[in-house]
Amino acid sequence: EASTFIATTGQGLARAAQHADGRWQVTHPLAEQGVRCLAVDRLNPGRVYAGTPTGGLRSDDAGVTWQPCGLSGRTITALAASP
């Protein structure tokens, strides 16, 4: 993938990825998760964090797959990734 954009939608995420042949593919991961915020690890651009009403999530593959990363049971409304 040449470029990837990830944005909150109010319900989940919209992930747009441009492939080497120039085609764009849009997916909607974390549907119905209520994603409130996103942060990218500037030292590892493939790592993205998301805050939801029920905790934090992490992706290590630019938003393709997600797993819990802590703060379970807490509403996360802001994130920052520190080196």
Side-chain angles (χ1 to χ4, degrees), residues 8-69:
T8 61
T9 65
Q11 297 299 317
L13 298 177
R15 180 182 185 276
Q18 184 181 31
H19 298 276
D21 65 3
R23 290 180 309 111
W24 284 90
Q25 178 182 15
V26 178
T27 58
H28 297 278
L30 303 180
E32 306 301 323
Q33 291 288 318
V35 177
R36 302 285 196 255
C37 54
L38 294 168
V40 175
D41 183 337
R42 67 184 186 118
L43 298 178
N44 182 356
R47 181 168 291 158
V48 184
Y49 298 94
T52 74
T54 59
L57 300 169
R58 184 182 84 205
S59 172
D60 291 321
D61 54 11
V64 175
T65 60
W66 295 84
Q67 60 274 342
C69 70

